[in-house]
Amino acid sequence: MIKFLDLNSQYQGIKQEIDSVIKEVIETSSFIGGKFVSHFEDDFSSYINAKYCIGVGNGTDALEIAIEALDLPKNSEIIVPANSFIASSEAVTRTGHRVIFSDANAEDYTIDIDDLKTRITSNTSAIIVVHLYGHPCHMEPIIELANNHGLKIIEDCAQAHGAEYKGKRVGSIGDIAAFSFYPGKNLGAYGDGGAITTNNESLAEKCRKIANHGRLSKYDHEFEGRNSRLDSIQAAILSVKLKYLEEWTNKRIKAADNYLIELSNINAITLPVRQDWARQVYHLFVIRSNERDLIKAELNKQGVDCGIHYPIALPKLKAYEYLNQYNEKGFAWESDKTLLSLPINEFITVDEIRLIGQVIRSAIK
Ligand SMILES: *Cc1c(COP(=O)(O)O)cnc(C)c1O
């Protein structure tokens, strides 16, 4: 059995530290806010190299609050890649804007710059760049487009903790960024959690207020906000896990290197491209094949977990029928039929990767 993720083995390796911080939070009764949350916010902003970090309830809230804080014109258009998790586009609609889907490129699967250009109109106010599967988007041309058209850049970093574009950590490049600490993410809590990072002080303050009832002080409120706070137990767990993130990430990168060797020269599959300017942190290792379903069935039969991210491209979802944007045969719109995510985590061994290679080779013979 080769697991997609192994959160229990990860916990066993850091059990003492985790158990002791959980106990400390409970014994000090600092359940909401307080030092555990502010320590984590400081640690995470240093890790990302962003000036400000605001802990929030989850990654979806992080996106929503970030968009709200930008104060964009009502009903403006925000461009979102077609191949992502629904949270990326949900946040647009829920903050009163219109989703415009753009294509993904067929190499690293992040937003396709040429296609993106064609989606910009006079109503466009922002671009959500998703550093998908852990691969950073090609930020320079995106920044140039944003500057030329007066657009804001929101980075969806839910899958890319520690990823770098030309040496800069994602989450420190656009106007504002959203992270998720859902348990299965590269940095995952033991429940829901999220964060917003930015270098802009007034945006950071606005986000902090939105996430905490528009609060100025305990019972004085500047405007109506909401309740979306990072829980102290989760913050304490995340501070422990953050210390190991680089080690775990380097193991994922090593595993990916091994996959690239073991899976080379198989005609029926296309391997993911790591651009030379990218530090790809491999939240997922995604291959592409017309024989995807056959390969997946054979891997499952041999006890190898795999996944499809995502089985239905966003514009094709029932939730977006009303937008009527699924009318072209671009890459991403059809990517759902060919993409396959192989297991990757800090525990997978060279032998396991070799076995996966053998299963794939024999499946497509
Ligand atoms: C996980 C994820 C989110 C949402 O994060 P939650 O913490 O689950 O709300 C947003 N965008 C992408 C690309 C994700 O993978």
Side-chain angles (χ1 to χ4, degrees), residues 36-301:
F36 295 98
V37 175
S38 56
H39 282 177
F40 174 70
E41 289 174 340
D42 290 347
D43 293 347
F44 197 65
S45 60
S46 319
Y47 178 77
I48 295 303
N49 207 9
K51 282 197 190 131
Y52 307 97
C53 170
I54 301 101
V56 295
N58 55 65
T60 309
D61 282 2
L63 280 168
E64 278 189 35
I65 294 165
I67 297 172
E68 191 181 334
L70 286 168
D71 212 6
L72 302 167
K74 286 260 166 304
N75 291 316
S76 62
E77 295 174 0
I78 300 184
I79 301 171
V80 181
N83 185 34
S84 185
F85 179 59
I86 191 170
S88 309
S89 47
E90 221 171 25
V92 170
T93 316
R94 295 192 67 87
T95 49
H97 301 284
R98 188 173 166 83
V99 177
I100 302 294
F101 288 113
S102 179
D103 210 347
N105 74 66
E107 290 191 343
D108 59 44
Y109 307 115
T110 63
I111 201 158
D112 182 284
I113 312 286
D114 291 327
D115 186 75
L116 169 60
K117 281 181 194 158
T118 70
R119 310 281 170 181
I120 297 172
T121 72
S122 56
N123 294 321
T124 311
S125 63
I127 306 167
I128 296 190
V129 297
V130 182
H131 305 299
L132 196 74
Y133 308 151
H135 196 292
C137 296
H138 197 357
M139 294 305 292
E140 270 166 11
I142 294 172
I143 291 167
E144 194 187 316
L145 276 177
N147 288 343
N148 290 343
H149 294 89
L151 313 177
K152 299 292 183 191
I153 298 176
I154 300 139
E155 292 180 79
D156 181 339
C157 305
Q159 303 188 359
H161 317 71
E164 290 171 15
Y165 174 73
K166 300 195 173 179
K168 269 193 177 169
R169 289 257 155 98
V170 304
S172 70
I173 307 170
D175 292 283
I176 194 160
F179 285 87
S180 164
F181 304 122
Y182 178 82
K185 304 287 161 121
N186 286 26
L187 178 62
Y190 290 169
D192 276 312
I196 296 163
T197 58
T198 178
N199 286 314
N200 181 318
E201 186 180 3
S202 61
L203 272 183
E205 260 175 43
K206 184 86 185 281
C207 289
R208 206 174 272 293
K209 284 181 191 163
I210 295 170
N212 195 15
H213 303 293
R215 216 166 231 152
L216 292 166
S217 62
K218 191 161 188 184
Y219 292 117
D220 189 8
H221 306 264
E222 184 181 333
F223 54 83
E224 282 180 325
R226 54 190 289 184
N227 174 4
S228 181
R229 296 180 292 232
L230 178 63
D231 175 295
S232 300
I233 289 184
Q234 301 306 338
I237 290 166
L238 288 166
S239 284
V240 171
K241 291 182 73 173
L242 183 58
K243 294 188 293 179
Y244 298 92
L245 184 60
E246 278 305 286
E247 184 191 321
W248 293 339
T249 300
N250 288 329
K251 287 184 175 165
R252 280 178 182 264
I253 295 170
K254 189 87 195 100
D257 290 343
N258 288 328
Y259 265 125
L260 293 172
I261 295 166
E262 292 299 330
L263 304 183
S264 60
N265 304 317
I266 306 180
N267 286 333
I269 67 172
T270 305
L271 295 173
V273 172
R274 172 166 67 207
Q275 308 291 358
D276 52 18
W277 39 257
R279 183 189 194 214
Q280 146 71 307
V281 295
Y282 292 101
H283 173 59
L284 297 170
F285 188 89
V286 179
I287 62 169
R288 197 161 95 235
S289 174
N290 291 328
E291 308 295 329
R292 190 266 310 274
D293 294 333
L294 185 79
I295 295 172
K296 183 171 187 288
E298 193 56 29
L299 284 168
N300 290 343
K301 211 167 97 191

